[in-house]
Amino acid sequence: MPVPPAEPPAARPRRTELAVVGAGPAGLAAAVTAADGGLDVVLLDAADAPGGQYYRAPAPVLGATGPEKRPHGWAHFAALTARLGRHRTAGRIRHLTGHHVWAVERSGAGWTLHAVTGPDGRDGATTLDARRLLVATGSYERQLPFPGWTLPGVVGAAGAQAMLKSGLVLPGRRIVVAGSGPLLQAVAVSLARAGARVPALVEAAGYAAYRRAPQVLAANPGRLAEGVRHGVALARHRVRLLPHRAVTAVHGTDRVEGVTVSRLDRDWRPLPGTGRRIDCDALAVGHGLAPQLDLAVGLGCATRCGTDGSAALELDEELRTTVPGVWAAGETGGIGGVHLALTEGELAARSVIADARGGGGGPPTARTASLLRTRRRMRAFARLMGAVHRPGPGWTGWTAADTEVCRCEEVTAGTIRAAVGELGAGDSRTAKLLTRAGMGWCQGRTCGFAVRELAGCAAETGNPDRRPLACPVPLSVLARTTLPEDT
């Protein structure tokens, strides 16, 4: 979707009324709604174009222009980007692409945002002052380790979809899709439509548990319809759905040649003797998404443990965090999908507008009341979805002693267990210090959940580590930056 060229970074832009971090569905909806309400907005995002992962599109040179190449809801996204373009032309929104916000600090009655630009921050740094802050930083994929998962040809399920959306590239020709969560169905359908053979969709949880909440299902008919569409598409492409099973081993030398699929009990423990091999040349695997909270947690925003086992921000109905002057929308408040993100983005912006005008406390407008109702029913479904697909405690039985858990630092499951059982690590932080698990490039985003579970510290999930840096920052930038002592 064409929009005006991004503006070059300024050394110190004027103080803006609202800074929105993240230009995915939630951040994009928030930015244009706030600008509609008359606020001066700066929208910062690490990507070169708005839309986030869901609305990721191939580069124009690839010629993928047909509607079949676009995700569901593209018309709404096109309308949002058109509004973004008009606001940018009018000067109401400054859209700073390629900006990685690595820290935010309190500055008087507002906030100072620190960002680096370009790949790995090599193109410089910029600082922005804002009266109010809205965090819409999205999520990342959650992985559970198992023997062979580091073999070439094993990719994240969301990563496989991103490869297909942005580059029209398949990770293989015969691809098993595995893990847990509704995203797997969308990934399997997308891969099959693109020409891959998908012999199986391996779901650890299954879908029968959704029937335990008929009222939640009835209140969200769109999600039911989506499930039916995916089921029909899977059948059309002859994708076998294997519920209550998991890939417990990957086979191959230089790359994937096959996987072992085992039946699981209700706690996700592999049942002995049930392993069956499926030949393939790639595996797309993921166990849902986890909120990206580094910036918000660094500000001191309170978190809670969601029904899916991941930490999420604690928010009120107006999408305010526990830190005054900071709002959040979308996946930061718990994984819920694109439609919930769009709803929360608009709702959060309306709350910011009311705050800027000195309002609040009065009855909501008809539009706001409608958004609140929509959010409540969608959040109810999100909680159900998280509970259904939350990893069972028995998944740790998939790992052998030599299974790598932290890929960055090459820390194995046996090393983590030894840190607990032999060295007395009583929490995940101590296990991390003793093993270096989570100290690599990804800073625990890939292995953090697994390390906590293997260390027996699952109760810590609702209290993620507070980090001073939300992304890698060159030392030259840090040398020129002074942050408060408690950062």
Side-chain angles (χ1 to χ4, degrees), residues 8 74 104-105 156 202 248 251 254 265 296 318 321 420-421 439-440 455 486:
W74 186 267
V104 180
E105 59 176 311
V202 184
T248 52
H251 310 291
D254 297 327
D265 67 14
E318 294 185 344
T321 70
V420 175
M439 289 189 178
D486 62 346

Side-chain angles (χ1 to χ4, degrees), residues 323-408:
V323 175
V326 180
W327 286 256
E331 309 288 53
T332 52
I335 306 303
V338 63
H339 300 297
L340 177 57
L342 292 166
T343 298
E344 289 194 340
E346 182 179 349
L347 186 58
R350 288 174 173 272
S351 176
V352 173
I353 293 169
D355 182 82
R357 293 174 178 171
T365 64
R367 175 60 180 170
T368 300
S370 175
L371 290 169
L372 285 168
R373 290 191 297 271
T374 300
R375 178 178 183 261
R376 288 177 194 132
R377 66 174 177 80
M378 287 186 173
R379 273 292 165 203
F381 186 86
R383 289 191 293 271
L384 171 63
M385 181 175 66
V388 169
H389 296 283
R390 178 171 182 160
W395 77 264
T396 57
W398 308 352
T399 60
D402 61 350
T403 301
E404 279 192 7
V405 176
C406 174
R407 301 176 67 165
C408 299

Side-chain angles (χ1 to χ4, degrees), residues 80 107 129 133 140 158 164 172 177 211 255 279 285 339 484 486:
L80 288 174
S107 178
D129 294 324
L133 173 67
Y140 56 91
L164 187 57
V177 177
R211 295 200 296 265
R255 65 166 294 116
D279 291 331
V285 60
H339 300 297
D486 62 346

Side-chain angles (χ1 to χ4, degrees), residues 114-481:
H114 300 274
V116 290
T117 59
D120 302 331
R122 292 194 299 260
D123 294 347
T126 187
T127 305
L128 169 74
D129 294 324
R131 291 184 178 88
R132 298 166 185 84
L133 173 67
L134 196 156
V135 179
T137 45
S139 60
Y140 56 91
E141 193 164 20
R142 180 168 62 187
Q143 294 290 346
L144 304 181
F146 53 89
W149 77 299
T150 58
L151 196 66
V154 179
V155 299
Q161 194 172 49
M163 291 170 62
L164 187 57
K165 285 183 177 181
S166 61
L168 306 182
V169 176
L170 289 170
R173 301 305 303 175
R174 184 177 173 87
I175 309 167
V176 170
V177 177
S180 187
L183 176 64
L184 298 184
Q185 294 189 11
V187 171
V189 170
S190 297
L191 295 174
R193 285 175 175 168
R197 173 75 178 97
V198 182
L201 192 168
V202 184
E203 165 61 61
Y207 303 98
Y210 281 97
R211 295 200 296 265
R212 300 172 189 167
Q215 292 181 329
V216 175
L217 294 178
N220 292 272
R223 301 306 294 261
L224 282 174
E226 182 180 46
V228 170
R229 286 195 303 270
H230 284 152
V232 170
L234 291 172
R236 182 184 304 122
H237 290 285
R238 298 180 180 178
V239 178
R240 286 187 298 159
L241 180 60
L242 303 178
H244 304 293
R245 291 173 174 83
V247 170
T248 52
V250 179
H251 310 291
T253 51
D254 297 327
R255 65 166 294 116
V256 175
E257 297 174 5
V259 298
T260 291
V261 174
S262 302
R263 183 180 289 277
L264 306 178
D265 67 14
R266 61 185 301 171
D267 290 325
W268 289 33
R269 293 184 182 86
L271 296 174
T274 62
R276 298 291 183 271
R277 176 169 172 143
I278 299 178
D279 291 331
C280 59
D281 61 5
L283 169 65
V285 60
H287 289 84
L289 305 172
Q292 180 68 269
L293 303 179
D294 291 341
L295 277 181
V297 170
L299 287 168
C301 298
T303 60
R304 58 179 177 79
C305 185
T307 58
D308 63 350
S310 293
L313 292 181
E314 188 176 305
L315 305 172
D316 66 13
E317 283 208 321
E318 294 185 344
L319 284 304
R320 296 174 184 264
T321 70
T322 56
V323 175
V326 180
W327 286 256
E331 309 288 53
T332 52
I335 306 303
V338 63
H339 300 297
L340 177 57
L342 292 166
T343 298
E344 289 194 340
E346 182 179 349
L347 186 58
R350 288 174 173 272
S351 176
V352 173
I353 293 169
D355 182 82
R357 293 174 178 171
T365 64
R367 175 60 180 170
T368 300
S370 175
L371 290 169
L372 285 168
R373 290 191 297 271
T374 300
R375 178 178 183 261
R376 288 177 194 132
R377 66 174 177 80
M378 287 186 173
R379 273 292 165 203
F381 186 86
R383 289 191 293 271
L384 171 63
M385 181 175 66
V388 169
H389 296 283
R390 178 171 182 160
W395 77 264
T396 57
W398 308 352
T399 60
D402 61 350
T403 301
E404 279 192 7
V405 176
C406 174
R407 301 176 67 165
C408 299
E409 296 293 328
E410 299 181 343
V411 181
T412 65
T415 300
I416 295 172
R417 290 184 174 117
V420 175
E422 299 174 17
L423 302 179
D427 55 69
S428 61
R429 181 176 179 81
T430 304
K432 176 180 176 180
L433 292 173
L434 291 172
T435 66
R436 293 193 57 82
M439 289 189 178
W441 181 261
C442 83
Q443 286 294 285
R445 291 176 181 86
T446 301
C447 68
F449 180 87
V451 171
R452 286 191 296 271
E453 296 269 321
L454 285 166
C457 306
E460 299 177 8
T461 300
N463 298 291
D465 292 338
R466 183 176 179 178
R467 301 187 180 99
L469 310 180
C471 67
V473 182
L475 288 175
S476 59
V477 173
L478 290 177
R480 298 192 302 269
T481 305

